């Protein structure tokens, strides 16, 4: 009965939010966290309501940058992964370079973006792309390499070209893996966009965060973080829904 | 005068808006820049180093940053020069909650201090200890970024932090609701020039007139701000209502204008720094700031007063 | 029947390389299949039949010898060939019909005509009503039938089949046998069929190649000179029995099993 | 011939490093990037050699923190993923919370870590853990959900307990997916450790980075970034080697 | 033979729920299998044999009716059962021997004894020399034999087999038939065997259940009263022929194929 209620899809988001607020409140009371470290939930809710129009319009800009970076991730990451999966030579040179670039904290090099790309949307998009694309590459490589030899034999027996084999055999079979990468990627792209906004933007949630931080306005800062997380959740759910509609045949969906 | 085409000029700040920036908003509001034929855009920054790089790359016309940071960049080859130093007294200080009764340098002994590794305050810290006859092992140092330092002191993990009088001192006070006592480095004789205007060297030869006009307007703005810090803050808040809390900003602004002059420059207009002061700062940079002695150069290599009004 | 040697093997052998050393799967083989001929291959489990078929299909490199199709060495997958693999190898993300149509898509065949032919083949294989189902919603035998339809879709002139009817019940199997014979007679395909059913091999083939145990080699080749078309009740005829006996006897002479 | 040389495993790392340096040099010359934006490679190499003992000892501390966080990632991430994969209820509540937490930029909340965990290695470890664990969770969930129903039937027919099914069927089958998550995770853990060092640490490469940044010592900063990337590559390769030895049966390894 | 009804079905039916509506796979069935009995199930492809076997194994819920084992309703997987699935379902990350030993590991059987028994079974199935190979290094028939060994490892009292010998050549198949009969007679297991070979069904069974086309139902049940043990050459005996004829005739009376 309770289980059923808890699983009801319409109620779930509300229950979740309640749960989250309760948890938050509990932690603050339990550990006696002062308001200048973590503000109590109602303060944040108040600030959230008060600043709602601004948060909404700023979050829209962050979302745009995130989607731009995520789009680049797909357009650049998947083909690179393909090349890595298919060519030992590319794998042995490009893959290490990617890994090499990946361990650099973006916050450390992001200031250079400002110098190169100014204060527009570009540095945010690039930062979102840089943070997001590695998980997609790794997952996609794994997906392509897991394609069953039998199926490749089948394609070869049909005289399929490399491209056909890719689109009709490898890609569909790698889809679950690719989507798992995309899900990680999309949340990282949000972080990337915000890091981009930290270093070079006059708008977006990252900007609000920094300003709130500078003013020691913790309730606003946390409200901004909540908005940010919500963007992440919404994009994640969107990717998940696309996945469900694109791979209904997969064992995980039966 | 209306026909005269206006020069578009970008001033990139050292950070997001806070109190000391109000000067430029006041100048803009009073029309000092417009009078000079300058259409001024004020751009928030992300640290002095980034602004230095942006000005060097000509992404911004002028920068308002910590001049010692610019000196380090210029020593590495960045084509930058300061055309006027606004903060001639260093805002650096070590501060803690007043309830801890740490009011003089000697009180620091045995305490824990939060510093940000690598920043200019952490570099001057050993000197500050030295001139006060405190051995480095008599204080415990913990490291963290700006926010962490505040958290550490507010929460008791550290007794003190290194910060600017017009910035961290006020933040700490606002956060904890308790009074804060800053001990200025400058009061112990450890002084370094701080915020000032910088620009690309090429601009000085290509368009000296623009630089002159800009510095003239900025000088007027600084003078106006000295006279009325409240008006400056109000001008900034008018342009950017979210820039902060008025009362806090005014406190900060008052602290800021107090740094505009040393005793030697007390009777001069703002931005006119004493070259001896610059020279001392260079010495400190070489001794403590990680600057290579071979690249030290002369004060005139870094700061010029030629573009300032009389 | 024309006497052109379509597939020819001279000293073809196969050794798999595995981590714990090479595995000899086929000793050097010599054989030829004429154009339009129906040849079956029978032999004990694990003797290398599937290996041989994959090499003829150009999907597996040969280890030594010479293997040619229409005089040219087989170096990669051949074009005008239809293959039924030992396992159905259906794509789980495609419906039965789309699995069959994959053949047409890969070969850029006209869509409408292929679709019509796919429906026809599915009807022949008793899959009507399951066009839209996914592979995991089919029984084992139905999956196998779908893979047969796929191999036939583009009407290839060479058909390579690896135990295509193994998962079918006796009746469906006999029906499919008749269909295969009909298709073969109508279009004069060259067929190489691997099967475990000696009656099936005799019923369908011009020649039956009998292989010996691992590592495989050709033990004997039997010509089956029964008249065509062959009705099912020919299986009861004494000539038919003589042929099956010959093949079977050959097997048991290897002492695998006392009769 | 060239291909063979390029693929030779012994030479590859050296060729790679040469390639990297050449690329770097090329970019600087091509775009005429001045030394105060990006230092030329030889300057960095010089600084690298000069500061080598210090870089080595500091990188050791960063590596320790990374490994600690990565260890937590494995120990906490995989069981959580298991629960998500097996229980619809857990999935519908815990998964969204994880996603929610994931879109928060760690740099924004890391200053709180110091308050809770002090200035030791702990905040670094936690930061490394927080950055690294999400990719592992997503990949592992995907891996567990992809387990073939036939194999689960087999296990059930043997009267296997849930635990047995997990260890003998699901886990091995999910391993390729888990490892793909671990590979992403380990490079992110490096970033996490450094972010942890940014906000509160007296040692580690993150500390060196901050000091170099303060001194406008770009060659040292880039040398530190190279060290950081190398830590990432080495850990990635280590995970890859473990993967190869643990799943030699997988299609990608045949 | 004891007369205890071990497995009993009363009105057991199965309808699969799929996205495009329910698929009726089995009409209500009634049957019983005695303890120690050997029962074969034959029927056209897709009639629901595998479905039935999975329900008896407790791996698939029934849609209606009552299905009991030893009087208790079957609600989940049963303990003392060995199953051979229609496809081999070998774990790709385990060697052949380790695949077989999985059964022992899952059931916490003593290790040494299980290993000895696994070796014995592999020898019986002609897999010696392949203990350390991975499934993809085996031929189709060898994979199937490995899965049979796995099902027999724990010496279960109930054996459910879904076309276990479908991928085997005639000889290996006959050999495995003899082995299965020997094992069954020695240990008095209860066996339910799905097969497409009517002679195999008659040769091995006490009773043969004949199913009709999809959606499946029981068309007839034939008792096979031939004496035990049955040697292979009994297949040539007229009584044997009479039985196969009966079953076969029953099939063709459904008009699937004109003889
Ligand atoms: N990829 C491989 N690696 C190593 N050995 C292999 C591989 N594939 C097959 N073999 C071996 O080659 C031999 C022949 O296998 P093949 O599949 O051709 O047999 P088959 O005649 O088709 O048997 P079946 O009738 O059981 O299908 C077997 O001993 C098998 O173990
Ligand atoms: N998961 C499923 N979802 C929907 N329908 C299914 C599913 N599994 C089987 N069916 C349908 O149930 C029917 C019976 O399938 P089953 O596998 O039991 O047949 P079978 O008698 O074993 O056939 P075969 O001899 O070909 O193996 C078929 O029509 C099949 O399409
Ligand atoms: O720099 N970060 O990846 O948060
Ligand atoms: Mg085979
Ligand atoms: Mg079946």
């Amino acid at each position: 009965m309770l289980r059923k209620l808890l699983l009801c899809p319409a109620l779930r988001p509300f229950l979740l939010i309640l749960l989250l607020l309760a948890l938050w409140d509990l932690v603050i009371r339990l550990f006696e966290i002062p308001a200048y470290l973590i503000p109590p939930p109602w303060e944040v809710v108040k600030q959230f309501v008060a600043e709602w129009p601004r948060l909404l319009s700023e979050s829209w800009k962050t979302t745009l940058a995130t989607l731009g970076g995520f789009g680049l991730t797909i357009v650049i990451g998947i083909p690179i992964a393909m090349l890595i999966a298919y060519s030992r030579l590319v794998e042995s040179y490009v893959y290490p370079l990617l890994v090499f670039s990946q361990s650099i904290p973006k916050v450390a090099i992001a200031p250079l973006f400002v110098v190169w790309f100014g204060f527009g949307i570009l540095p945010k998009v690039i930062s979102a792309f840089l943070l997001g694309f590695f998980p997609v590459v790794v997952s996609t490589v794994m997906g392509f390499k897991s394609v069953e030899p039998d199926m490749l034999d089948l394609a070869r027996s049909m005289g399929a070209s490399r491209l056909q084999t890719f689109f009709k055999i490898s890609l569909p079979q790698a889809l679950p893996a690719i989507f798992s990468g995309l899900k990680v990627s999309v949340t990282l792209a949000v972080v990337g966009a915000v890091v981009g906004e930290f270093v070079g933007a006059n708008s977006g949630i990252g900007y609000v965060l920094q300003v709130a931080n500078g003013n020691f306005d913790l309730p606003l800062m946390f409200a901004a973080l909540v908005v940010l997380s919500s963007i992440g959740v919404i994009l994640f759910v969107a990717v998940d829904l696309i996945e469900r509609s694109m791979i209904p045949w997969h064992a995980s969906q039966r | 005068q209306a026909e005269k085409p206006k020069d578009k000029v970008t001033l990139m700040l050292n950070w997001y808006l806070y109190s000391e920036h109000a000067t430029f908003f006041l100048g803009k509001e009073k029309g000092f820049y417009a009078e000079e034929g300058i259409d001024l855009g004020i751009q928030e920054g992300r640290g002095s180093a980034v602004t230095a790089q942006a000005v060097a790359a000509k992404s911004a016309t002028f920068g308002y940053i910590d001049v010692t940071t610019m000196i380090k960049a210029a020593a590495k080859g960045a084509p930058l020069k300061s055309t006027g130093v606004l903060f001639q007294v260093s805002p650096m200080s070590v501060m803690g909650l007043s309830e801890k009764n740490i009011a003089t340098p000697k009180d620091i002994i045995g305490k824990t201090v939060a510093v940000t590794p690598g920043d200019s305050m952490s570099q001057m810290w050993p000197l500050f200890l030295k001139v006060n006859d405190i051995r480095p092992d008599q204080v415990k140092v913990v490291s963290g970024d700006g926010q962490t330092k505040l958290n550490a002191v507010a929460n008791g993990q550290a007794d003190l932090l290194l910060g600017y009088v017009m910035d961290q001192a006020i933040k700490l006070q606002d956060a904890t609701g308790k009074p804060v006592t800053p001990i200025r480095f400058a009061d112990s004789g450890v002084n370094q020039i701080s915020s000032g205007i910088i620009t690309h060297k090429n601009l000085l030869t290509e368009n000296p007139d623009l630089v002159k006009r800009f510095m003239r307007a900025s000088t007027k703005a600084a003078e106006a701000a000295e006279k009325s810090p409240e008006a400056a803050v109000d001008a900034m808040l008018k342009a950017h209502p979210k820039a902060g809390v008025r009362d806090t900003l005014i406190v900060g602004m008052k602290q800021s204008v107090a740094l505009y002059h040393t005793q030697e420059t007390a009777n001069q207009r703002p931005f006119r720094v004493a070259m001896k002061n610059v020279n001392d700062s260079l010495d400190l940079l070489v001794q403590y700031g990680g600057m290579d002695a071979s690249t030290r150069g002369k004060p005139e290599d870094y700061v010029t007063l030629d573009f300032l009004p009389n | 029947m024309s006497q052109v040697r379509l597939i020819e093997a001279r000293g073809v052998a196969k050794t798999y390389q595995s981590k714990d050393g090479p595995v000899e799967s086929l000793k050097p083989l010599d054989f030829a299949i004429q154009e339009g001929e129906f040849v079956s291959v029978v032999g004990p489990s694990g003797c290398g039949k599937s290996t041989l078929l994959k090499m003829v299909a150009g999907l597996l490199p040969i280890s030594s010898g010479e293997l040619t199709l229409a005089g040219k060495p087989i170096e990669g997958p051949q074009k005008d060939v239809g293959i039924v693999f030992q396992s159905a190898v259906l794509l789980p993300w495609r419906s039965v019909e789309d699995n069959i149509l994959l053949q047409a898509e890969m070969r850029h065949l006209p869509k409408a005509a292929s679709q019509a032919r796919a429906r026809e083949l599915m009807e022949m294989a008793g899959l009507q009503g399951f066009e839209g189902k996914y592979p995991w919603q089919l029984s084992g035998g139905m999956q196998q039938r779908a893979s047969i339809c796929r191999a036939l879709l583009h009407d290839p002139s060479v058909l390579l089949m690896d135990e295509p009817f193994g998962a079918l019940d006796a009746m469906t199997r006999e029906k499919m046998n008749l269909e295969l014979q009909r298709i073969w007679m109508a279009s004069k395909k060259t067929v190489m069929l691997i099967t475990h059913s000696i009656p099936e091999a005799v019923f369908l083939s011009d020649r039956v190649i009998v292989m010996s145990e691992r590592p495989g080699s050709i033990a004997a080749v039997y010509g089956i000179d029964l008249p065509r078309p062959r009705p099912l009740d020919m299986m009861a005829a004494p000539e038919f029995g003589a042929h099956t006996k010959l093949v079977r006897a050959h097997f048991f002479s290897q002492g695998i099993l006392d009769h």
Side-chain angles (χ1 to χ4, degrees), chain A, chain B, chain C:
Chain A
M1 187 39 221
L2 180 71
R3 211 190 148 78
K4 222 170 185 171
L5 192 77
L6 285 171
L7 273 170
C8 169
L11 280 176
R12 223 184 292 152
F14 298 100
L15 287 174
L16 243 178
I17 290 173
L18 279 182
L19 183 75
L20 207 66
L21 289 176
L23 218 73
W24 183 342
D25 201 60
L26 190 80
V27 166
I28 284 185
R29 283 165 200 273
L30 216 64
F31 298 101
E32 293 179 9
I33 298 175
Y36 59 86
L37 284 183
I38 301 181
W42 54 92
E43 293 268 341
V44 175
V45 171
K46 247 197 294 186
Q47 192 61 290
F48 192 84
V49 173
E51 297 281 340
W52 176 239
R54 179 174 172 217
L55 287 174
L56 195 70
S57 77
E58 297 295 353
S59 69
W60 179 236
K61 288 164 196 159
T62 304
T63 306
L64 264 187
T66 304
L67 288 178
F70 187 58
L72 279 183
T73 289
I74 296 173
V75 174
I76 298 180
I78 294 179
I80 284 186
M82 247 178 76
L83 289 176
I84 291 175
Y86 284 115
S87 158
R88 298 265 299 115
L89 190 65
V90 173
E91 178 178 14
S92 61
Y93 284 90
V94 175
Y95 216 171
L97 283 183
L98 291 186
V99 180
F100 198 82
S101 75
Q102 201 50 27
S103 314
I104 296 176
K106 301 303 159 294
V107 269
I109 54 160
L112 286 175
F113 294 176
V114 179
V115 178
W116 291 329
F117 310 115
F119 282 89
I121 195 179
L122 202 58
K124 306 191 206 183
V125 170
I126 293 188
S127 169
F129 162 69
L130 285 181
L131 244 83
F133 98 120
F134 193 62
V136 170
V137 171
V138 173
S139 294
T140 307
V141 167
M142 191 276 281
F144 282 128
K145 286 200 166 188
S146 305
V147 173
E148 284 172 33
D150 275 1
M151 300 217 172
L152 295 178
D153 270 356
L154 175 71
R156 291 171 66 214
S157 82
M158 293 174 166
S161 68
R162 269 170 166 256
L163 224 66
Q164 281 182 311
T165 307
F166 170 70
F167 278 111
K168 304 211 184 256
I169 309 280
S170 307
L171 186 64
Q173 225 192 343
L175 270 188
I178 293 176
F179 269 102
S180 121
L182 287 177
K183 284 188 208 166
V184 173
S185 179
V186 81
T187 60
L188 281 176
V190 177
V191 175
V194 170
V195 166
E197 285 168 352
F198 281 172
V199 296
N202 297 317
S203 62
I205 293 291
Y207 178 80
V208 174
L209 263 178
Q210 286 288 41
V211 171
N213 195 26
N215 292 334
F216 226 90
D217 187 349
L218 283 176
L220 179 58
M221 188 176 143
F222 273 69
L225 287 179
V226 168
V227 169
L228 215 53
S229 293
S230 307
I231 296 174
V233 171
I234 290 169
L235 293 179
F236 184 93
V237 168
V239 173
D240 196 63
L241 287 179
I242 295 172
E243 175 181 12
R244 272 168 214 270
S245 75
M246 274 180 80
I247 49 173
W249 50 270
H250 192 243
S252 67
Q253 314 286 341
R254 274 176 210 169
Chain B
Q1 218 188 23
E3 284 93 79
K4 196 172 159 193
K6 285 195 170 175
D7 288 304
K8 270 209 179 295
V9 163
T10 317
L11 172 66
M12 188 165 164
L13 305 174
N14 58 340
W15 197 243
Y16 298 91
L17 295 181
Y18 64 90
S19 51
E20 68 171 292
H21 302 142
T23 306
F24 300 99
F25 288 94
L26 182 62
K28 214 181 156 187
E29 191 187 68
K30 295 218 166 196
F32 298 149
Y33 292 98
E35 281 168 19
E36 300 289 349
I38 289 172
D39 179 11
L40 180 66
I42 298 173
Q43 174 78 63
E44 288 174 284
R46 301 294 188 276
S48 292
V50 177
T51 301
Q53 285 169 324
V55 174
K58 295 191 173 169
S59 302
T61 334
F62 293 96
Y64 175 75
I65 65 168
D66 179 25
V67 177
T68 61
T69 302
M70 184 222 79
I71 291 174
K72 286 183 201 171
K76 306 265 160 169
L80 296 171
K81 205 157 188 176
S82 172
T83 52
V85 179
L86 190 55
F87 282 14
Q88 295 164 13
V89 177
S90 170
M92 294 177 193
S93 58
V94 55
M95 62 188 78
L97 298 176
S98 304
E99 66 189 18
K100 297 232 172 173
N101 292 321
I102 306 169
T104 66
K106 283 285 168 208
D107 298 335
I108 295 168
I109 294 173
K111 299 290 191 291
T112 301
V113 184
V115 310
T116 298
D119 73 358
S120 51
M121 289 174 283
S122 74
Q123 289 172 347
M124 290 307 122
W125 176 242
L127 176 61
F128 174 76
L129 293 180
K130 198 167 140 194
V131 302
N132 288 297
D133 288 324
I134 302 171
R135 275 180 286 115
D137 60 7
Q138 287 178 305
V139 283
K140 186 167 178 275
V141 168
V142 293
S143 310
D145 68 351
Q147 190 64 35
T148 304
K149 284 192 291 191
L150 290 173
N151 285 351
V153 172
N155 215 46
Q157 268 120 338
D159 304 299
L160 301 156
L161 61 82
L162 301 191
Y164 288 156
V165 275
M166 73 294 175
D167 186 8
Q168 276 91 346
I170 297 163
K171 273 188 193 162
L172 190 57
Q173 202 160 331
D174 281 356
T176 57
K178 295 172 186 170
V180 170
T181 308
I183 305 170
R184 294 204 317 192
F185 284 15
D187 297 337
S188 297
V190 179
N191 192 26
Q192 250 193 332
I193 53 173
S194 185
S195 302
I197 300 287
I198 66 157
T199 188
H200 199 285
K201 276 181 177 168
N202 288 356
L203 192 68
L204 301 179
T205 50
E206 282 164 9
N207 198 347
D209 177 55
L210 175 65
V211 181
K212 278 187 180 149
R213 282 185 278 137
F214 181 79
M215 290 316 294
R216 193 153 51 222
S218 297
T219 301
K220 283 191 209 160
E223 284 165 345
E226 271 185 298
K227 231 174 267 151
S228 175
E230 291 85 354
V233 167
D234 287 335
M236 181 161 80
L237 282 174
K238 207 165 132 199
H240 292 273
K242 299 282 175 191
V245 182
R246 184 170 185 270
D247 293 343
T248 310
L249 289 173
I250 288 172
V251 175
M253 194 59 200
K254 282 182 175 159
Q255 304 261 29
S256 298
V257 297
L259 307 172
Y260 279 12
H261 302 277
T262 58
Q263 264 161 359
E264 291 143 287
T265 63
N267 300 318
Q268 300 187 16
R269 299 185 76 177
F271 288 110
R272 286 202 160 268
V273 67
M275 279 305 172
K276 181 180 173 303
N277 194 347
V278 179
N279 197 48
D280 291 347
S281 297
L282 280 174
D283 283 341
L284 291 178
L285 280 174
V286 171
Q287 268 184 283
Y288 298 95
M291 187 178 186
D292 194 342
S294 64
T295 61
R296 181 191 183 274
K298 305 182 297 292
E300 291 74 27
D301 295 339
Y302 303 106
V303 179
T304 172
L305 306 180
D306 299 348
F307 300 86
L308 291 171
N310 290 314
Chain C
M1 201 179 300
S2 69
Q3 281 300 75
V4 182
R5 291 180 161 195
L6 188 70
I7 299 165
E8 200 169 1
R10 260 175 266 105
V12 169
K14 179 71 193 179
T15 302
Y16 282 102
Q17 299 303 337
S18 77
K19 266 167 201 159
D20 31 52
V23 181
E24 191 188 2
S25 287
L26 282 175
K27 286 191 201 158
L29 302 182
D30 296 277
F31 68 88
I33 299 176
Q34 319 291 342
E35 195 176 332
E37 200 181 11
F38 197 123
V39 173
S40 291
V41 179
V42 298
S45 174
C47 74
K49 302 180 296 294
S50 300
T51 301
L52 180 62
L53 183 125
K54 278 191 186 165
M55 293 195 302
V56 171
L59 296 174
L60 201 66
I62 59 178
S63 298
S64 63
E66 244 186 291
L67 186 62
T68 58
L69 185 114
K72 270 174 264 160
I74 295 175
E75 264 158 0
Q78 301 301 314
K79 246 203 225 149
D80 199 17
V81 172
I83 307 183
V84 180
F85 293 92
Q86 190 163 4
S87 60
V89 197
L90 298 171
L91 310 184
W93 56 90
R94 282 175 170 246
S95 67
V96 172
E97 182 166 13
D98 288 344
N99 260 291
I100 296 170
L101 286 172
L102 181 70
Q103 187 79 263
E105 291 174 26
M106 291 295 201
R107 293 173 188 275
H108 305 290
L109 304 181
K111 202 168 166 183
S114 305
Q115 207 147 8
R117 182 158 164 80
R119 299 255 161 181
E120 209 174 89
L121 285 167
M122 280 189 279
E123 183 133 355
M124 180 272 283
L127 288 174
Q128 63 279 47
F130 288 85
E131 293 87 354
K133 291 265 183 288
Y134 285 98
W136 48 273
Q137 294 176 314
L138 300 188
S139 78
M142 292 159 96
Q143 290 176 16
Q144 205 172 36
R145 283 179 270 157
S147 83
I148 296 170
C149 294
R150 185 178 59 196
L152 291 172
L153 187 78
H154 56 305
D155 199 17
S157 65
V158 178
L159 206 50
L160 306 175
M161 308 175 96
D162 197 347
E163 297 184 43
F165 311 127
L168 302 182
D169 60 291
M171 290 119 295
T172 313
R173 187 167 193 155
E174 284 176 358
K175 184 174 161 246
M176 295 297 290
N177 280 349
L178 286 177
E179 284 293 341
L180 181 58
Q181 176 175 245
R182 188 183 59 70
I183 290 169
W184 174 72
M185 289 187 71
S187 58
K188 275 293 156 201
K189 292 179 194 316
T190 309
V191 180
M192 179 172 164
L193 170 80
I194 295 176
T195 178
H196 283 319
S197 162
I198 294 170
E200 182 172 276
V202 170
F203 178 74
L204 288 168
S205 311
D206 296 320
R207 281 190 300 150
V208 175
I209 296 178
V210 182
M211 291 181 67
S212 64
E213 274 209 313
R214 177 168 47 81
S217 62
I218 295 180
V221 181
Y222 293 98
I224 313 292
D225 51 3
L226 299 170
R228 305 265 191 185
R230 300 170 184 167
L232 276 182
D233 55 12
M234 179 182 275
M235 290 198 187
E239 313 91 82
F240 191 91
H243 279 298
T244 54
K245 206 171 167 185
L246 212 60
V247 175
R248 192 175 290 263
H250 187 86
F251 267 81
F252 293 114
S253 73
Q254 291 178 316
I256 295 175
L257 195 76
D258 323 319
H259 206 218

